[in-house]
């Protein structure tokens, strides 16, 4: 039964449901959606928001985010990063484990959670790296992580990801605990080999960088881990797919019925390597930006359903790090505050259906990472929501970012569509570009298996 007065009513909205957009209202009680109604049959509420003219979407779930903090808090911390997410209409993020200290032990994971609890303003779930001791895998799974992340080119622990026997033992352990394993598809031996070859050829720094991370290595890593996934029954999720070659391999495996999902990013969909010539280190990212042909293939795969999720790969660094000479500058840039506007721009241009966007950024990540009651606007679900203005035209300005990283390769892009209000479990945390909540009001999601 709904009590006579609920916590929040949002009225006059256009509400996104997978059965279509309905004009009406929505009632929230104790953080859950308790009613979706076409007519003005809504209960009385402590707080009412008139959403006239705006569209209500499920809050975005960004399943690939480097929130940093701990010893890398100069790049980003749990507060600045989650404020950036809220400003970008993102209500849940999954944090990556390549931090200092590395999130590849029970101890490091617990310390990170403790720090996060004090600072976050949205929902936060964690990835972990595989621990050096195999018997710690189960303990980490019980700590509620969404899955394990592997960086074969830069392992978090001393695990040789070219040693099949060792790799299979870890993947088996993840499978036993019903957790997916996400892969950054690259290979250390190949990078080193190509780098030393290319450096002798008097090529530019950019050419050495691009040449040492070719699409062929990406594809090879995908094929290898997918094969090991099949051998162990482990669900493999490929991060930031960037090339035609990789997509062909993934499609083949998916057609064969392999349990294989994958993600891409706005920058791999929208930018090419030409951007590196123009923006130098500010467009340096791994995997590298590739060609227009790759962009086109990624869009096609996205619309066809080969790509399952869209994530920002928010990878903040300090300005002084990005201003280093090209070979030393770190890869990556922030993405939490550009993901939704860039994609709403594609919706406005008629290149992307709203349903597809919501699937890629809400319902599908919720399903893959077992985020219960998230990613949909349905009675009984958590009231994690974003109210968007589909028509607002504005210019991306990194000076306005909540992220500590005040740069983006999308600087100055003219976009259409903006997050106006973000709600976490029915409570408004961002309104008109302002964060209106306090640090520590967000919650940590622990996956129960
Ligand atoms: O460009 C990147 N930056 N790619 C990665 O895989 C890691 C990330 C980071 O952590 O900075
Ligand atoms: Zn990566
Ligand atoms: Zn990443």
């Amino acid at each position: 039964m709904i009590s006579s007065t609920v916590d929040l009513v949002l009225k006059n909205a256009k509400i996104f449901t997978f059965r279509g957009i309905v004009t009406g209202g929505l009632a929230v009680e104790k953080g859950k959606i308790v009613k979706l109604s076409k007519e003005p049959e809504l209960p009385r509420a402590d707080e009412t928001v008139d959403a006239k003219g705006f569209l209500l979407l499920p809050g975005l779930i960004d399943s690939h985010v480097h929130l940093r903090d701990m010893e890398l808090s100069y790049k980003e911390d749990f507060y600045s990063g989650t404020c950036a997410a809220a400003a970008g209409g993102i209500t849940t993020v999954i944090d990556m484990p390549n931090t200092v200290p590395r999130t590849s032990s029970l101890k490091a994971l617990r310390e990170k959670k403790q720090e996060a609890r004090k600072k976050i303003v949205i929902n936060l779930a964690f990835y972990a790296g595989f621990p050096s001791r195999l018997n710690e895998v189960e303990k980490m799974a019980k700590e509620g992580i969404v899955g394990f992340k592997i960086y074969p080119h830069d392992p978090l622990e001393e695990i040789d990801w070219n040693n099949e026997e060792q790799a299979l033992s870890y993947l088996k352990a993840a499978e036993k605990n019903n957790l997916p394993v996400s892969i950054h598809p690259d290979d250390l031996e190949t990078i080193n080999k190509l780098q030393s070859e290319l450096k002798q050829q008097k090529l530019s720094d950019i050419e050495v960088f691009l040449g040492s991370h070719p699409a062929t290595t990406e594809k090879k890593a995908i094929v290898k881990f997918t094969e090991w996934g099949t051998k162990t029954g482990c669900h493999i999720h490929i991060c930031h797919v960037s090339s035609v070659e990789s997509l062909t391999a993934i499609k083949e495996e998916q057609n064969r019925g392999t349990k294989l999902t994958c993600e891409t990013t706005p920058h791999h969909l929208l930018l090419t390597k030409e951007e590196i010539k123009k923006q130098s280190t500010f467009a340096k990212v791994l995997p590298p930006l590739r060609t227009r042909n790759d962009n086109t293939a990624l869009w096609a795969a996205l619309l066809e359903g080969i790509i399952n999720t869209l994530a920002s790969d928010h990878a903040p660094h300090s300005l002084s790090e990005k201003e280093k000479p090209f070979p030393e500058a770190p890869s990556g840039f922030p993405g939490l505050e550009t993901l939704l506007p860039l994609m709403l721009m594609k919706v406005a241009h008629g290149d992307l259906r709203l349903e597809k966007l919501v699937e890629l950024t809400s319902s599908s990540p919720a399903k893959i990472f077992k985020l219960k009651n998230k990613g949909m606007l349905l009675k009984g679900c958590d009231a994690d929501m974003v109210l968007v203005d589909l028509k607002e035209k504005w210019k991306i300005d990194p000076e306005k970012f909540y992220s500590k990283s005040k740069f983006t390769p999308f600087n100055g892009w003219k976009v259409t569509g903006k997050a106006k209000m973000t709600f976490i479990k029915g409570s408004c945390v961002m309104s008109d570009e302002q964060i209106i909540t306090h640090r520590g009001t967000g919650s940590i999601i622990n996956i129960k298996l």
Side-chain angles (χ1 to χ4, degrees):
M1 269 300 284
I2 304 172
S3 57
S4 56
T5 310
V6 297
D7 295 331
L8 170 78
V9 156
L10 226 135
K11 62 175 190 180
N12 293 327
K14 289 200 183 332
I15 303 174
F16 177 91
T17 74
F18 280 102
R19 291 207 197 132
I21 290 170
V22 292
T23 306
L26 178 150
V28 180
E29 172 72 357
K30 295 196 176 74
K32 301 260 181 212
I33 299 169
V34 288
K35 188 162 191 170
L36 272 152
S37 166
K38 260 192 176 179
E39 306 83 24
E41 278 175 10
L42 294 158
R44 277 183 301 152
D46 293 339
E47 195 194 340
T48 303
V49 173
D50 189 345
K52 198 164 183 347
F54 297 138
L55 173 73
L56 191 70
L57 299 177
L60 275 72
I61 297 169
D62 190 342
S63 55
H64 191 147
V65 174
H66 300 267
L67 284 181
R68 317 282 195 210
D69 209 302
M70 314 309 278
E71 286 171 43
L72 297 178
S73 59
Y74 68 95
K75 293 180 194 252
E76 195 81 288
D77 63 41
F78 289 121
Y79 181 64
S80 60
T82 55
C83 285
I90 294 161
T91 50
T92 299
V93 303
I94 306 181
D95 180 55
M96 284 292 177
N98 61 337
T99 44
V100 181
R102 300 174 286 263
T103 325
S104 49
S105 69
L106 199 55
K107 183 171 171 277
L109 177 63
R110 285 183 176 157
E111 280 170 4
K112 220 171 158 183
K113 275 191 183 175
Q114 204 177 2
E115 198 57 28
R117 213 167 275 128
K118 294 186 261 175
K119 298 180 181 168
I120 54 176
V121 300
I122 63 159
N123 308 305
L124 170 62
F126 289 97
Y127 266 113
F130 278 112
S132 55
R133 280 196 307 268
L134 202 55
N135 64 4
E136 222 175 284
V137 168
E138 190 179 342
K139 291 182 197 147
M140 292 178 84
K142 289 205 170 118
E143 196 73 13
I145 55 170
V146 299
F148 288 99
K149 173 74 187 279
I150 300 178
Y151 299 90
H153 63 302
D154 191 11
L156 299 177
E157 295 294 331
E158 274 186 25
I159 301 168
D160 177 3
W161 292 110
N162 280 320
N163 177 334
E164 175 162 352
E165 198 188 324
Q166 195 177 24
L168 292 184
S169 65
Y170 281 99
L171 296 186
K172 251 183 232 153
E175 193 279 329
K176 223 176 115 201
N177 288 286
N178 199 19
L179 286 178
V181 173
S182 293
I183 313 290
H184 175 118
D186 211 333
D187 179 69
L188 183 60
E189 277 175 24
T190 321
I191 297 172
N192 289 339
K193 187 172 152 275
L194 290 171
Q195 239 171 22
S196 59
E197 279 170 20
L198 293 164
K199 274 184 188 160
Q200 284 167 9
Q201 290 176 32
K202 288 207 176 98
L203 296 170
S204 72
D205 293 333
I206 295 175
E207 282 164 327
V208 173
F209 169 72
L210 291 172
S212 52
H213 300 278
T216 44
T217 319
E218 180 179 299
K219 178 191 164 162
K220 238 173 88 187
I222 293 173
V223 170
K224 180 177 87 177
F225 278 97
T226 306
E227 198 184 299
W228 292 348
T230 307
K231 277 189 182 171
T232 54
C234 178
H235 172 184
I236 300 290
H237 180 75
I238 308 293
C239 292
H240 41 51
V241 174
S242 71
S243 69
V244 180
E245 289 87 338
S246 301
L247 287 170
T248 313
I250 290 168
K251 190 174 177 174
E252 249 175 52
E253 284 295 336
Q254 286 177 344
N255 286 344
R256 214 176 283 162
T258 307
K259 191 161 66 178
L260 174 66
T261 53
C262 71
E263 148 206 302
T264 194
T265 70
H267 47 277
H268 290 110
L269 285 166
L270 296 168
L271 302 176
T272 69
K273 62 184 179 187
E274 299 308 312
E275 218 58 48
I276 313 175
K277 286 183 203 144
K278 291 184 215 149
Q279 306 201 42
S280 184
T281 59
F282 293 96
K284 183 181 180 185
V285 65
L286 279 176
L289 302 173
R290 302 203 189 273
T291 65
R292 198 50 83 199
N293 191 29
D294 292 301
N295 294 159
T296 311
L298 286 167
W299 277 111
L302 192 92
L303 302 179
E304 258 183 75
I306 295 159
I307 293 172
N308 311 85
T309 61
L310 185 61
S312 70
D313 196 1
H314 178 81
H317 296 288
S318 74
L319 190 60
S320 59
E321 288 171 318
K322 283 302 245 186
E323 282 172 347
K324 285 183 180 177
F326 196 88
E328 287 124 70
S331 300
F333 37 73
L336 287 166
E337 287 158 276
T338 48
L339 170 71
L340 180 60
L342 289 168
M343 289 304 124
L344 289 177
M345 171 190 78
K346 294 304 277 184
V347 171
H349 291 172
D351 299 330
L352 179 65
R353 281 183 310 115
L354 207 51
E355 289 80 1
K356 194 68 196 174
L357 174 59
V358 174
E359 180 196 318
L360 288 160
T361 54
S362 294
S363 56
S364 171
K367 199 168 157 200
I368 290 174
F369 298 104
K370 306 184 192 80
L371 306 169
K372 234 176 116 205
N373 298 326
K374 301 261 183 233
M376 272 189 274
L377 297 179
L378 279 179
K379 192 175 161 186
C381 284
D382 291 345
D384 297 335
M385 318 180 283
V386 55
L387 199 58
V388 305
D389 182 347
L390 286 175
K391 299 210 177 85
E392 186 167 333
K393 291 188 196 305
W394 58 289
K395 218 189 224 182
I396 292 175
D397 175 6
E399 285 299 321
K400 292 193 175 154
F401 282 179
Y402 280 91
S403 168
K404 291 186 185 181
S405 274
K406 307 223 183 286
F407 48 81
T408 166
F410 297 105
N411 190 356
W413 276 44
K414 290 190 185 109
V415 288
T416 305
K418 188 168 199 175
K420 303 301 285 181
M421 288 177 114
T422 303
F423 297 86
I424 305 290
K425 294 183 185 155
S427 141
C428 181
V429 299
M430 185 280 289
S431 177
D432 267 330
E433 299 180 9
Q434 300 306 310
I435 299 299
I436 55 166
T437 186
H438 306 290
R439 49 182 77 215
T441 49
S443 35
I444 288 175
I445 301 173
N446 290 313
I447 309 299
K448 294 198 180 63
L449 299 165

